Amino acid sequence: MSSNFSVTPWEVKGKVDYDKLIVQFGTQKITPELKERIKKITGDLDVMLRRDVFFSHRDLDLVIKDYEEGKGFFLYTGRAPSLGMHIGHLIPFIFTKWLQEKFKVNLYIEITDDEKFMRNPELTLDQTRQFAYDNILDIIAVGFDPDRTFIFQDTEYIRNMYPLATKVAKKLTFSEVRATFGLENSSNIGIIFYPALQIVPTMFEKKRCLIPAGIDQDPYWRLQRDIAESLGYYKAAQIQSKFLPPLTGPEGKMSSSNPESAIYLTDDPKTVERKIMKYAFSGGQPTIELHKKYGGNPDIDVSFQWLYMFFEDDDNKIKKIEEDYRSGNMLTGELKQILVDKLNKFLEEHRAKREEAKELVNTFKHEGKLAKEMWNKIHE
Ligand code: TYM
């Protein structure tokens, strides 16, 4: 299919047409009916579900059915640790927290210090492990249930995963993995094996696994779904999100490769203000007169997009902001200020919770109820 955008686990290029992506990847759109079914159970809908940030799925209907029938399900998500997380990385975790709160289910969070090391020629394993510790603090700060959440690092938990990883790996051929991930003969063999390790946690329980993540991770799940049943497990279900766009324009995704295009969880209030005021791509007109006359375009304005996708969860307020901006009553500077204030409030609270998280690392990795059970379990 020819298109001027591409989405892979490593890169998002161009203006993503999410409807086309659903067709390309063979997933389903989350329909209003499905949202209603969820709302019947949860009472309300998270802002990211209401506004179609989480827009695509596979077997979410079956997950809901399993839940309704008392069979239950579990959640799984993950992170390849890097030097400092940005706001975009937090999106799936915040949404996952909402799901866990509503459904009271187990959650497994894989930290792929191995993947990051093997993919990046410049990084040492010591560095990716340090990043792992650091990123785990940001993840814990999101506020998961310590009794129902297990956070594990591949290089540490590998002994328990390895038997099942060999079974998964034996089902996948090099040519499939090469084609799915665009590998080459010069790729190191660690990367060739790695997909087995991202698939294994989908089989941590003999229940359906629901994976909340950005849609860029989809290739792994396509492989999983080809082989799961032959190993006696369920095909993994997904609930997939769009990307928080980079500050600098509505195309691609916020990514660490361009620091000015991202807001990091460690950015102080002044930095946040400077970045937003200087770089946030604007849908406004070049002069105040023109803006008042013709109005702004929220559809391409990154500050508006961020407010819409996550930071302004009040439906009435976001509607008013949209109308005021479109009509020209609200200027770009005013719109940006709303975002700066929201971001700084969010980051201040996040940093306080991150400090508290230091006391909880051992709970989530080893001593919590689920963590303890998991260390006693060898996955076969
Ligand atoms: P990683 O570390 O690249 O990304 C972690 C999660 O963040 C999502 N994400 C974004 N979401 C919205 N907007 C953005 N700009 C943005 N950038 C990244 C990703 O989709 C992902 O959900 N291989 C994985 C680690 C992993 C994993 C998993 C991820 C292991 N097991 C299970 C999800 C589910 C990785 O490199 O993620």
Side-chain angles (χ1 to χ4, degrees), residues 20-267:
K20 269 198 188 151
L21 203 57
I22 280 182
V23 177
Q24 261 182 34
F25 284 0
T27 63
Q28 310 276 305
K29 212 177 178 128
I30 300 178
T31 60
E33 293 75 38
L34 190 49
K35 285 195 225 178
E36 271 312 305
R37 255 180 90 187
I38 296 171
K39 197 174 165 188
K40 271 207 182 116
I41 300 167
T42 57
D44 58 12
L45 289 180
D46 182 78
V47 61
M48 292 190 261
L49 203 46
R50 287 202 310 275
R51 304 206 188 133
D52 294 325
V53 175
F54 279 81
F55 73 110
S56 156
H57 80 99
R58 283 200 192 89
D59 291 351
L60 181 57
D61 46 339
L62 299 182
V63 169
I64 300 300
K65 187 162 176 277
D66 281 2
Y67 180 83
E68 287 165 347
E69 290 173 357
K71 290 188 204 146
F73 69 93
F74 68 98
L75 292 164
Y76 159 47
T77 193
R79 161 89 180 125
S82 67
L83 180 64
M85 283 171 74
H86 58 60
I87 292 275
H89 292 133
L90 224 46
I91 290 282
F93 291 98
I94 293 169
F95 184 67
T96 303
K97 181 205 159 171
W98 181 80
L99 288 171
Q100 186 184 46
E101 241 171 44
K102 295 294 175 180
F103 291 95
K104 305 266 182 295
V105 287
N106 285 345
L107 161 64
Y108 302 92
I109 301 179
E110 178 175 49
I111 307 294
T112 58
D113 51 356
D114 53 346
E115 176 196 13
K116 195 69 180 188
F117 167 64
M118 293 186 295
R119 277 235 148 243
N120 286 270
E122 288 88 39
L123 293 175
T124 67
L125 190 55
D126 278 349
Q127 281 173 310
T128 64
R129 285 172 154 171
Q130 184 55 46
F131 299 160
Y133 173 77
D134 195 74
N135 289 188
I136 285 171
L137 295 181
D138 286 311
I139 291 169
I140 291 175
V142 171
F144 298 104
D145 178 344
D147 284 331
R148 291 196 178 94
T149 306
F150 177 45
I151 303 180
F152 60 100
Q153 235 164 286
D154 283 349
T155 62
E156 295 173 354
Y157 195 58
I158 186 67
R159 178 176 176 278
N160 300 51
M161 291 197 284
Y162 196 61
L164 186 51
T166 62
K167 292 182 188 171
V168 169
K170 198 174 176 181
K171 294 271 177 193
L172 299 172
T173 67
F174 176 47
S175 65
E176 275 169 319
V177 172
R178 180 173 54 191
T180 307
F181 296 99
L183 302 184
E184 288 159 14
N185 279 352
S186 59
S187 300
N188 70 61
I189 62 172
I191 297 173
I192 302 169
F193 180 77
Y194 170 73
L197 289 177
Q198 184 154 335
I199 288 173
V200 163
T202 66
M203 303 170 182
F204 274 178
E205 296 185 22
K206 291 257 172 164
K207 290 180 185 171
R208 219 177 284 276
C209 168
L210 175 63
I211 305 165
I215 196 163
D216 58 327
Q217 299 298 309
D218 196 66
Y220 293 99
W221 321 134
R222 296 202 289 271
L223 291 180
Q224 194 275 359
R225 290 171 63 88
D226 285 345
I227 63 165
E229 286 176 343
S230 73
L231 288 169
Y233 294 90
Y234 284 103
K235 289 183 179 183
Q238 290 89 50
I239 181 160
Q240 298 167 314
S241 77
K242 298 175 183 168
F243 306 107
L244 203 64
L247 264 186
T248 41
E251 299 192 349
K253 69 165 179 179
M254 188 191 286
S255 145
S256 306
S257 48
N258 179 4
E260 298 295 9
S261 83
I263 296 289
Y264 289 90
L265 301 178
T266 48
D267 282 347

Side-chain angles (χ1 to χ4, degrees), residues 51 303-312 318 335 339:
R51 304 206 188 133
S303 304
F304 181 79
Q305 292 305 316
W306 286 19
L307 287 168
Y308 182 83
M309 290 176 77
F310 177 67
F311 288 100
E312 179 51 82
I318 196 72
L335 177 65
L339 179 63

